[in-house]
Amino acid sequence: MADIYGVRITPDDGGKPIILDASMRYASYLGSATMMANSSAVGGFKAQPANSKSLIVPRDLVRVYLATNPAGPPVAYVTGMSFSGTTLNYSAKFVSPNGNTPPAVAAGFADVFSVAYAASPGELYGVRIANGANFMEISDASYAGYVTYRAVININGSWAIPQEILNLGNYIVFARWSNTENPLFLDRSNNTINSYNAFGSTEGSKIGGIVNAVQIVIVSCGYSPALPVSGYGMVIRNAAGQVTYSSKYPPVMWTDAYYDFGFYEDFSGSTGEVQRWVNPTGSVAQPMVPLCSIGLQRGDYSRTSGNYSFRICLYAGFKMNGNAVTTARAKSANSEAAVYMAPKAMQASCQLPCIDASYYF
């Protein structure tokens, strides 16, 4: 935030003010969708503005289903994604002892945002900030994503998403922490952030372990924001009178940075966790990763039956060390699979956008 000129936003939450200058970008929400394992595209999103970059933020990219075969459960997962126009394109895989992919099996779910690059103003309403090299534009094209919660928390096994955030609808959690022992996992079935341990247990894993000093930024999207409580600030309305920007909340600011996770599958029979640490690409001082599940791993507990050894399937969460992040085994899928029939570990190929904690804390 080095520009001399800009707009200073003081949100209602009383936290650190946000400086909107020509070096920043804000993310606007295009929609959400389920990706089916027997397809390769899903539409229905708002149109991506011309001369903009899409940001895909998955909620989960792997699903483990109930087993109907003694060899283990069917597993559906996304292997890669891209966005163009109004369509989310993807590749998906279905691994099952039963053979063919059923017609209605979900493999994942994702939210999509767009960030505009420099261009001539294309909207009738909004604010544009520019210098000789950069620009920032907030317009009435679509709803922005807003930071509706920011705090530094300690997680002792589990931490619940505040009810006031759930009442707003769609949400995404960005986090920054440092802990290589206990992974963090956002469990949307009960809206909690959990840490996990006991990977040799018969359950595959258990909620437990302490992860301290976690910086949390929760983004809510797809709704028209309320006006600032004070009655003062910056508000943008479109021609229909809808509020498309309000300084009640800090906007989602993006500095062209992301974590580039590569696809892999590991069908080995060994125990232990697979870790592949990734550092952020782009300009970011204190990166925050969106909490989601983009992989699958196995627990260490082994049960033998006949000619097969079985281990529990685990949804992957994240571990973070400094600025580096890796997928890591976390929540039990409560289903075991025969070794070699399902991956010991897999990870989807995706670029997870990271925001900078220094703008919010």
Side-chain angles (χ1 to χ4, degrees), residues 196-207 298-304 310-314 329-337:
Y196 286 87
N197 57 20
F199 298 107
S201 65
T202 56
E203 300 93 335
S205 68
K206 295 181 180 180
I207 293 176
R298 279 201 307 248
D300 290 336
Y301 174 77
S302 183
R303 178 184 69 86
T304 300
F310 293 84
R311 298 197 184 107
I312 303 295
C313 297
L314 307 176
R329 54 191 180 180
K331 180 186 177 181
S332 174
N334 297 314
S335 189
E336 60 181 11

Side-chain angles (χ1 to χ4, degrees), residues 316-336:
F318 290 115
K319 291 179 178 178
M320 191 170 194
N321 184 20
N323 289 342
V325 174
T326 183
T327 51
R329 54 191 180 180
K331 180 186 177 181
S332 174
N334 297 314
S335 189
E336 60 181 11

Side-chain angles (χ1 to χ4, degrees), residues 277-289:
W277 291 91
V278 179
N279 282 291
T281 298
S283 176
V284 58
Q286 299 175 26
M288 307 185 78
V289 65

Side-chain angles (χ1 to χ4, degrees), residues 33-37 60-63 65 76-78 105-110:
T34 298
M35 292 168 279
M36 307 303 292
D60 63 276
L61 296 180
V62 58
R63 305 281 178 92
Y65 291 91
Y77 49 91
V78 175
V105 174
F109 192 98

Side-chain angles (χ1 to χ4, degrees), residues 77-102:
Y77 49 91
V78 175
T79 59
M81 302 174 295
S82 64
F83 188 83
S84 178
T86 60
T87 302
L88 177 61
N89 301 293
Y90 62 92
S91 55
K93 192 169 182 177
F94 185 78
V95 177
S96 173
N98 299 329
N100 295 333
T101 306

Side-chain angles (χ1 to χ4, degrees), residues 34-71:
T34 298
M35 292 168 279
M36 307 303 292
N38 66 331
S39 184
S40 61
V42 58
F45 292 84
K46 293 180 181 178
Q48 180 181 346
N51 201 31
S52 69
K53 178 180 177 64
S54 61
L55 303 179
I56 304 172
V57 184
R59 299 187 190 180
D60 63 276
L61 296 180
V62 58
R63 305 281 178 92
V64 178
Y65 291 91
L66 293 176
T68 57
N69 188 302

Side-chain angles (χ1 to χ4, degrees), residues 101-319:
T101 306
V105 174
F109 192 98
D111 300 287
V112 180
F113 294 79
S114 71
V115 175
Y117 288 141
S120 298
E123 303 297 331
L124 296 176
Y125 306 91
V127 171
R128 184 178 175 90
I129 304 168
N131 64 13
N134 297 306
F135 96 112
M136 178 186 187
E137 185 173 272
I138 300 177
S139 69
D140 71 344
S142 60
Y143 294 134
Y146 292 95
V147 174
T148 50
Y149 185 90
R150 50 177 169 166
V152 180
I153 63 172
N154 296 325
I155 299 176
N156 187 354
S158 186
W159 181 82
I161 304 295
Q163 186 60 48
E164 59 267 28
I165 303 303
L166 301 180
N167 292 339
L168 293 174
N170 294 335
Y171 70 87
I172 298 166
V173 178
F174 287 85
R176 177 175 174 81
W177 73 101
S178 186
N179 189 299
T180 59
E181 295 298 320
N182 305 115
L184 292 185
F185 181 89
L186 174 58
D187 191 337
R188 287 184 177 268
S189 67
N190 56 16
N191 298 302
T192 60
I193 301 173
N194 300 324
S195 58
Y196 286 87
N197 57 20
F199 298 107
S201 65
T202 56
E203 300 93 335
S205 68
K206 295 181 180 180
I207 293 176
I210 297 174
V211 182
N212 287 327
V214 183
Q215 292 177 310
I216 294 290
V217 165
I218 299 181
V219 175
S220 299
C221 51
Y223 73 102
S224 180
L227 301 180
V229 170
S230 66
Y232 299 94
M234 186 169 75
V235 174
I236 299 173
R237 300 177 187 268
N238 61 17
Q242 296 171 306
V243 176
T244 57
Y245 178 84
S246 169
S247 58
K248 176 181 178 65
Y249 298 115
V252 182
M253 310 301 294
W254 188 62
T255 57
D256 199 18
Y258 55 87
Y259 284 101
D260 194 359
F261 290 91
F263 172 72
Y264 71 79
E265 290 175 310
D266 182 343
F267 280 88
S268 71
S270 62
T271 58
E273 182 176 63
V274 176
Q275 295 184 354
R276 297 192 180 181
W277 291 91
V278 179
N279 282 291
T281 298
S283 176
V284 58
Q286 299 175 26
M288 307 185 78
V289 65
L291 295 182
C292 54
S293 187
I294 65 170
L296 185 75
Q297 301 219 18
R298 279 201 307 248
D300 290 336
Y301 174 77
S302 183
R303 178 184 69 86
T304 300
S305 178
N307 296 323
Y308 292 98
S309 292
F310 293 84
R311 298 197 184 107
I312 303 295
C313 297
L314 307 176
Y315 292 111
F318 290 115
K319 291 179 178 178

